[in-house]
Amino acid sequence: MVWGVLEEMRIRSLGVIDDAVVELSPGFTAVTGETGAGKTMVVTSLGLLLGGRADPALVRIGAASAVVEGRISVPAGAPAAVRAEEAGAELDDGVLLVSRTVSAEGRSRAHLGGRSVPVGLLAELADELVAVHGQTDQQGLLKPARQRGALDRYAGEAVSVPLAAYAEAYRRLRAVTGELDEITTRARERAQEADLLRFGLGEIEAVAPRAGEDTELAAEAERLGHAEALASAAALAHAALAGVPEDPESVDATTLVAGAGRALEAVRSHDPALAALADRMGEISILLGDVATELAGYADDLDADPLRLAAVEERRAALTQLTRKYGRDGEGMDAVLAWSEESANRLGELDGDDDRIEELTAERDRLRDDLSVLAQRLTDARTEAADRFADAVTAELASLAMPHARVSFDIRQTEDPDGVEVDGRRVAYSPSGADEVELLLAPHPGAPPRPIAKGASGGELSRVMLAVEVVFAGTDPVPTYLFDEVDAGVGGKAAVEIGRRLAKLAKTAQVVVVTHLPQVAAFADRQLLVEKTNDGSVTRSGVTVLEGEERVRELSRMLAGQEDSETARAHAEELLATARADG
């Protein structure tokens, strides 16, 4: 799947470019023009969009700032789209707008999807969007992590299957090791915590509180503390209701209500309304009798024992002390009991440390053994794939005017006594295995293999990267490749082969090439011409798409320096015909 296509760039006040628009196609775009016309500003502009270093010297003389704006189509769900949206950027119907401004004083600003963002975010997205291969600006496969990832994709299921199992085991090992380290390194702290929990649980167990006991005791203490007043009130109320046996002349409520009831009963048959009142009077009489009886029982049962009151207050003090130490404000004894339950569970965990350490240690050792087996499988699969890769890229280089160059992978491990076992050695390991992967180049016989960024320079390096990208075509997720200086120092048949391979790469990705060779430009799906005006600047009309006769004229100029040379025109038409036949 193609994760994005660079559709257009607008460049203002950058170098020799005053104001120009570069329109790009999904396939192979060649950028041509006379020396000094500003072709390399395309590479420079793209570098700024990708978070490259802002050099105030790039700002056109007399301008306050240089501005580069880009339109990139990014499908929903693409890694770049997801990351951009996480940063607050908005996609306009699947198009991501990127801009970079560099002031003449050196200040730099970046915008993504209408949102101001750090320049570093553009550099982060660059890894997902564009691979630049030029004389001074290299990205993509020059990064060891990308080289390993590309090799893994090239290897296919031979790596992806064990790598998935390895990643899961690695994740679990990290979790187990973290828990084991936490238990062992905090042993003293955990022991102190266990002692504090035991002490608290011991205090609670000694008091043995019940749920709601503090509320019950508070009510009992209130009653016992006012026993005399309660008894006196109950006696007076009882006397008022039931009378005083020692005083026959006393009048009580029960007697009065009973008399009223008898009077109504005598005449109730004469009026239903009065009969209803008689019924209610009867109910009042019964209620008064019940209340009087209960008042008599309350007074008899009321305990005014000061010893009981002292015992209740002592028990309340003990409960209050527990609440202050182990409860929460306003929650009383229920909070203390909840703390007791939670602490008992936590103490069980702490007391089980020795058993847990033994379990975790056994699981850690098993996982390390599993990782050793899987890491060995990864190393073997990568080594086999690397050999096939080296043969394929070396064959490509032979057709790109580098017949004696040879590439290889350095797959190595770093010894670590606490690591996993690979090839009989204990080595360091990471989420992707135990291998450190680096792409090497020996440019000629007798030269020692060196990292590709150091083993070649200029056009040679771009040709090496072209060969690598062709071999990796379809496996590297980067959707756009930009080559500068890929044709430096070559011509004739080698130039044709470069054009042919760029066209091949463009079948699975967008390819943009800055070139001075007609043999390369002829293979492009679209050719852009960069031209200066009379005052030495490139304006909006200075970057044009060449078609038909205009393209033949430009190829003729590139071939012979003369647009109207019949021989050059014939050769240009032959180049275009050859390129179309290959396509």
Side-chain angles (χ1 to χ4, degrees), residues 563-579:
E563 296 91 334
D564 299 324
S565 167
E566 291 300 325
T567 302
R569 288 177 58 82
H571 191 184
E573 291 172 349
E574 182 182 357
L575 281 175
L576 287 171
T578 300

Side-chain angles (χ1 to χ4, degrees), residues 191-501:
Q192 292 174 344
E193 182 185 357
D195 288 342
L196 289 174
L197 292 177
R198 288 193 188 92
F199 179 80
L201 290 170
E203 282 195 318
I204 295 174
E205 184 178 358
V207 175
R210 294 181 291 102
E213 184 180 2
D214 50 344
T215 303
E216 296 173 6
L217 290 176
E220 186 178 0
E222 183 72 13
R223 187 171 65 253
L224 290 173
H226 298 82
E228 292 184 3
L230 293 172
S232 176
L236 288 173
H238 180 268
L241 294 177
V244 182
E246 294 81 8
D247 183 5
E249 300 296 326
S250 64
V251 179
D252 58 85
T254 303
T255 301
L256 293 174
V257 170
R262 287 193 297 273
L264 294 176
E265 284 292 334
V267 295
R268 66 177 295 160
S269 62
H270 302 300
D271 187 352
L274 196 63
L277 292 174
D279 291 339
R280 291 172 64 186
M281 189 63 70
E283 294 173 0
I284 292 173
S285 179
I286 294 171
L287 181 61
L288 285 175
D290 291 343
V291 173
T293 300
E294 289 186 21
L295 285 172
Y298 176 84
D300 292 339
D301 294 338
L302 188 62
D303 185 3
D305 184 0
L307 294 179
R308 173 57 186 168
L309 178 59
V312 168
E313 293 295 354
E314 183 179 357
R315 178 67 176 176
R316 291 184 67 201
L319 295 180
T320 300
Q321 186 177 14
L322 291 181
T323 302
R324 288 173 179 169
K325 296 178 69 173
Y326 306 109
R328 292 182 290 271
D329 292 341
E331 296 188 22
M333 195 49 53
D334 289 343
V336 173
L337 294 174
W339 182 91
S340 177
E341 182 179 358
E342 293 170 2
S343 298
N345 293 334
R346 174 60 175 165
L347 184 60
E349 294 177 7
L350 296 173
D351 287 342
D353 276 358
D354 290 342
D355 293 339
R356 185 59 179 157
I357 288 174
E358 184 176 346
E359 293 174 4
L360 291 172
T361 300
E363 185 175 4
R364 180 198 62 190
D365 294 343
R366 178 183 60 77
L367 287 168
R368 281 185 173 174
D369 290 341
D370 291 346
L371 284 178
S372 293
V373 173
L374 292 168
Q376 184 69 64
R377 287 179 59 188
L378 287 173
T379 298
D380 294 343
R382 285 169 175 157
T383 300
E384 189 277 332
D387 291 339
R388 288 188 287 112
F389 164 87
D391 293 340
V393 175
T394 299
E396 288 288 334
L397 289 177
S399 300
L400 297 177
M402 297 180 69
H404 304 297
R406 180 168 182 79
V407 296
S408 61
F409 268 113
D410 178 20
I411 301 178
R412 59 186 182 275
Q413 299 82 33
T414 301
E415 296 204 12
D416 182 347
D418 296 324
V420 297
E421 185 173 335
V422 175
D423 291 331
R425 299 179 300 136
R426 286 284 173 183
V427 297
Y429 59 100
S430 71
S432 57
D435 303 317
E436 298 173 31
V437 176
E438 191 165 28
L439 189 59
L440 306 178
L441 170 69
H444 53 81
R450 302 179 64 196
I452 55 175
K454 301 176 182 178
S457 60
E460 283 188 333
L461 180 54
S462 288
R463 272 177 277 154
V464 172
M465 297 314 299
L466 171 58
V468 169
E469 300 290 13
V470 169
V471 172
F472 275 149
T475 65
D476 197 349
V478 175
T480 298
Y481 299 93
L482 193 148
F483 290 90
D484 187 23
E485 303 289 341
V486 69
D487 51 15
V490 299
K493 183 179 179 180
V496 173
E497 293 299 327
I498 290 176
R500 182 173 285 119
R501 278 154 179 77

